[in-house]
Amino acid sequence: MKKWVIYALSAVALFHLSLPPSLSAMQHPVMEYMVVFEQEEGLPADYRAAVHNAGGVIEKEYPRLGAVKASSMSPGFLPAIQAHPSVASAGIPGIIRPEQLEYIEMDSPPAAEAAGGHDLYETYQWDIKQVTGDGASWKMQGGTGHSVDGRPVVIAVVDTGIDYTHPDLSGSYLYGKSFVDNEPSPRDFSGHGTMVAGMIAANGRVMGVGPDLKLASYRVFGQLNSATTFEIAEAVMTAADDQADVINLSLGGYIWVKNPEQNEKENRAELKMFRRAIKYAIKKGVVVVNSAGNLGADVSDPHQLTRLLYGEDASGKTYRNPDHKDMIVVSSGTYDQQLASYSNFGRNVIDVMAPGGEKNPGVLCVSTSLNGRYGQAFGTSLAAPKVSALAGVIIASQGKKALKPGEVAKIIAKSSKDLFDKGKDEFSGYGLIDAVKALSYSDAKAA
């Protein structure tokens, strides 16, 4: 076996060096800023003047989010724009970079050289069997993702792209878009998005939860594996405008709201931008699913999370980002239906659990990889897409737009297997997802 590195996505805090006053005016570089206005939709009448008078230039407008991207060489731009009465928050956008996870390439011929069939599913994909009841859900109405109204149910994968040439994915792939500067292809070159896509809709040697669902690649991470909130928020909004049915976000990070290196108003800009983008998508009828993260931490206590990440003497609140009360947040479970050792958890944070594998050999998740190959890995990044796929097959069972996002989320929650404390708990939320029960519940509700 070959061991490589594959990526789950997390945010890295930015720290700003202070120049001596005598040099700052001469050496201050051009910086990009996120400016979020008080009104959530549209831009205030004086937004151009506000940015100009603070010493900045507008680079891009996001009227659907009430925000703009601005640039400035002035060291006084940020405090000046933050002081404007129409500005809710402003700051330097955080850089989102990959968090390395061990990925094992399987000693198996590429799909194009194999004899066909579902051999890897039969042998290795305990996780897909766990969700689908050994494939029983595929025999139910909408269970493969083929919609009762004949219209394609589309899962938008906001990630590193998708290798749409993979034989197990090519039949499910519908279209793609790139939000990466100077990289127009929606194709995946790092592997993370392709593994995520396989969990959703692979149909070949490996199988996804909904093999007849359709995949759309919204590539936000380039070959350097970095992005900002701008690209991700724009991808989420675009997927909603494109009438995707579900958005999968196997990504995230942590925002230290009272970072002593930054003004609190700076950090809240990023939280607001993400929340508005997710709200926009949900309002347009899209189910949004996010992974809980791989820190192995209780993310429900923002003070405790600050101390864990930044030291026992650190103060202030740290939040998992993105977050939104109507987004489905997924923790990762193991073969024996326990919380995975690396999975984040938290009361009133986790909505449901899905299998994401464990670090031990034999209980990893097998999925599609680059260039027609297959790999094994673990992470909440591989748990979340199973919930996205489940949302997709529920939608397929009733027809596109027949259910609101909140109704889909309720079906997923009500049909999940209660594992730990009765009701909603901190480790699995409402429980382990179950496609057979979800489709049965959905059919009964529609009757």
Side-chain angles (χ1 to χ4, degrees), residues 153-366:
V153 176
V154 181
I155 314 298
V157 179
V158 179
D159 213 294
T160 60
I162 296 173
D163 185 354
Y164 46 79
T165 68
H166 197 294
D168 291 11
L169 297 175
S170 58
S172 301
Y173 185 79
L174 198 59
Y175 66 86
K177 297 182 178 182
S178 176
F179 299 83
V180 183
D181 287 343
N182 302 315
E183 294 185 40
S185 173
R187 186 173 177 178
D188 184 13
F189 294 97
S190 71
H192 185 273
T194 299
M195 290 204 81
V196 167
M199 298 285 90
I200 296 169
N203 192 351
R205 297 187 69 198
V206 297
M207 298 292 286
V209 170
D212 287 330
L213 293 168
K214 295 303 178 184
L215 297 165
S217 172
Y218 288 80
R219 185 179 176 218
V220 294
F221 294 91
Q223 295 191 55
L224 296 178
N225 285 300
S226 64
T228 70
T229 305
F230 287 119
E231 289 84 41
I232 298 171
E234 187 173 12
V236 167
M237 291 189 302
T238 304
D241 289 341
D242 291 341
Q243 299 185 7
D245 297 284
V246 183
I247 295 173
N248 186 85
L249 299 171
S250 288
L251 53 84
Y254 306 90
I255 300 293
W256 186 3
V257 171
K258 289 191 175 180
N259 178 351
E261 297 283 336
Q262 294 173 298
N263 182 298
E264 181 175 346
K265 211 171 182 182
E266 291 182 44
N267 291 320
R268 288 200 179 275
E270 200 155 357
L271 285 171
K272 283 182 181 292
M273 187 85 164
F274 263 131
R275 286 173 181 169
R276 288 184 182 183
I278 293 164
K279 180 180 178 180
Y280 178 88
I282 293 172
K283 188 176 179 180
K284 296 204 76 168
V286 185
V287 178
V288 182
V289 179
N290 187 220
S291 55
N294 300 331
L295 195 62
D298 182 350
V299 293
S300 65
D301 185 337
H303 294 284
Q304 180 180 318
L305 190 56
T306 296
R307 292 191 293 272
L308 175 67
L309 288 169
Y310 307 109
E312 284 299 319
D313 295 332
S315 61
K317 298 179 180 180
T318 297
Y319 296 95
R320 173 75 177 165
N321 190 43
D323 76 332
H324 190 281
K325 63 183 180 62
D326 295 324
M327 179 174 66
I328 302 174
V329 179
V330 186
S331 65
S332 185
T334 64
Y335 177 86
D336 56 358
Q337 302 182 15
Q338 299 298 308
L339 182 74
S341 61
Y342 55 81
S343 179
N344 285 349
F345 58 94
R347 191 168 297 279
N348 297 321
V349 174
I350 303 302
D351 293 297
V352 289
M353 174 189 284
E358 189 51 280
K359 299 177 182 179
N360 301 325
V363 288
L364 298 168
C365 295
V366 173

